[in-house]
Amino acid sequence: MDNIPMNKVILNKFLKAGYVFNKELFPTDSGVPQGGSVSPTIANMTLDGIERCIAEKYWMNNKGKIDKKHKNHKKINFIRYADDFIVTATDKETLVDIQRIIEDFLLKRGLQLSQEKTVITHISDGFDFLGWNFRKRKIKLIITPSKKSIKKIIESISQTIKSNKTAEQKELIRKLNQRIKGWCNYHQPVCAKETFKYLNHIIWNMLWTWCKRRHPNKGNKWIANKYWNTVETRKWVFMEENSRLYNAADMPIVRHISLKLDKHPYLDRGYFEARKLKQRSKKKAAYLRTRAAHIFMGLSNA
């Protein structure tokens, strides 16, 4: 429960702190930059208390104590990540009331809800949150990369390819791998396998256009032999020497291990180290299964 009040003195110092680089102070003149490490800290300090406002109305027992386990008849849940949050409940009327509570909370801090992002919807219609789409199909909740996130990575890859028209193949591969691996790693815990395959298809078409533009007078076979190779059982591997384009479909789907909220990163290091090892072993096992499946498919098609 977020019941620690915001310290306005510390918040004010954060806003004016600036930063030090090479022993030189760079003062802050226009606030905290979005994406910086201080930005989510300030968001947390400012928004801490929203859940308690909801709890005081919906989770309070007869003794005046918050008892979510026994008093949460509307099945209200509040999830927040910095300044992004979602609220779930059993009916629309409750959510409309909670929205009013949140608006009052923000108003006291000179803030307001984003009209673009704020929406009340049914779980069967789905909603986007942190780059993922949450939607319940029949009795199962399915989480997939959002259309906006897919569009963003495609635009990023397209821009990278277009801005490297004359670059060496291995340099283009290096830049693309940074974007592809980073994006796939983020979406690894959700139902993203089909999305990864789709991304591969889009990238292949972009690279083929890139190659054709470089060699307008060469035939398709010549271009294919120059830029693509066969590695083990896999054909059409975009590579040069030891540089190989990462195949998004190789990213295994590994479910996230839920974090125990009563554990402290400094006081319970054993728990976090064991959790990290378990997650790492799960990823390795999933990768080996994916690789074995690809080899089997290659042998079957041979």
Side-chain angles (χ1 to χ4, degrees):
M1 186 69 64
D2 49 350
N3 53 6
I4 302 176
M6 176 184 64
N7 189 313
K8 294 183 179 180
V9 175
I10 295 178
L11 176 60
N12 188 53
K13 290 181 178 180
F14 266 135
L15 291 171
K16 299 181 179 180
Y19 65 95
V20 176
F21 180 73
N22 286 339
K23 298 182 179 181
E24 182 180 355
L25 174 63
F26 293 84
T28 298
D29 299 321
S30 57
V32 178
Q34 187 173 4
S37 59
V38 177
S39 180
T41 303
I42 292 178
N44 285 329
M45 293 176 63
T46 305
L47 299 180
D48 274 355
I50 292 181
E51 187 174 4
R52 186 169 187 85
C53 290
I54 298 171
E56 288 175 351
K57 179 170 183 179
Y58 288 98
W59 301 337
M60 195 77 74
N61 61 21
N62 297 331
K63 296 180 179 180
K65 294 183 179 180
I66 295 173
D67 185 5
K68 184 179 179 181
K69 184 177 180 180
H70 299 97
K71 287 294 180 179
N72 192 13
H73 304 303
K74 297 288 186 177
K75 297 183 179 179
I76 299 169
N77 290 286
F78 179 82
I79 301 96
R80 181 165 65 86
Y81 185 85
D83 59 345
D84 290 314
F85 55 84
I86 58 175
V87 183
T88 64
T90 55
D91 56 85
K92 183 177 179 180
E93 291 72 19
T94 301
L95 290 175
V96 170
D97 183 56
I98 291 175
Q99 180 176 342
R100 180 191 57 77
I101 294 173
I102 294 175
E103 287 174 343
D104 291 343
F105 176 91
L106 295 177
L107 186 62
K108 296 175 182 178
R109 289 156 176 76
L111 301 172
Q112 61 182 9
L113 290 175
S114 168
Q115 296 298 321
E116 180 184 355
K117 292 183 178 181
T118 304
V119 61
I120 297 178
T121 183
H122 195 275
I123 189 62
S124 60
D125 297 325
F127 62 91
D128 292 346
F129 183 62
L130 301 179
W132 292 333
N133 179 263
F134 296 76
R135 185 178 178 185
K136 193 172 184 179
R137 291 175 172 86
K138 294 183 179 180
I139 61 172
K140 189 173 184 179
L141 178 66
I142 303 297
I143 308 174
T144 59
S146 67
K147 291 182 179 179
K148 186 176 180 180
S149 179
I150 297 171
K151 181 181 179 181
K152 188 174 181 180
I153 185 61
I154 290 176
E155 289 176 349
S156 175
I157 291 173
S158 175
Q159 184 59 38
T160 300
I161 294 175
K162 288 178 181 178
S163 61
N164 286 273
K165 294 178 180 178
T166 60
E168 294 184 0
Q169 183 184 6
K170 59 183 178 182
E171 178 62 17
L172 177 62
I173 290 173
R174 184 186 68 81
K175 292 181 179 180
L176 289 178
N177 281 348
Q178 291 177 345
R179 286 162 175 76
I180 297 171
K181 287 183 179 180
W183 192 83
C184 290
N185 272 321
Y186 179 81
H187 294 285
Q188 186 182 43
V190 302
C191 302
K193 183 59 73 174
E194 293 301 319
T195 303
F196 293 161
K197 292 178 181 178
Y198 171 73
L199 183 62
N200 270 348
H201 173 72
I202 297 296
I203 294 173
W204 190 95
N205 287 328
M206 290 180 181
L207 290 175
W208 183 259
T209 302
W210 180 80
C211 295
K212 292 284 286 186
R213 186 183 291 114
R214 290 163 70 95
H215 307 284
N217 299 322
K218 297 294 184 179
N220 292 346
K221 186 175 181 180
W222 185 91
I223 293 176
N225 290 333
K226 177 174 175 59
Y227 291 98
W228 280 269
N229 290 287
T230 299
V231 178
E232 296 177 350
T233 59
R234 175 171 288 169
K235 299 179 181 179
W236 292 97
V237 179
F238 190 75
M239 62 181 298
E240 181 182 18
E241 298 175 352
N242 294 326
S243 298
R244 182 194 306 183
L245 184 71
Y246 182 75
N247 190 314
D250 284 344
M251 178 64 68
I253 302 301
V254 181
R255 303 304 180 198
H256 177 72
I257 300 176
S258 297
L259 188 66
K260 293 183 179 179
L261 300 181
D262 60 342
K263 299 297 182 181
H264 193 283
Y266 294 104
L267 302 178
D268 304 289
R269 290 189 177 182
Y271 164 77
F272 285 94
E273 290 175 0
R275 182 176 179 274
K276 185 184 293 185
L277 289 174
K278 185 178 181 180
Q279 190 77 359
R280 191 178 299 168
S281 62
K282 284 180 64 177
K283 289 184 178 182
K284 184 176 181 180
Y287 172 76
L288 292 175
R289 287 196 301 270
T290 302
R291 179 174 172 79
H294 287 156
I295 293 175
F296 177 76
M297 291 176 62
L299 293 175
S300 299
N301 296 330

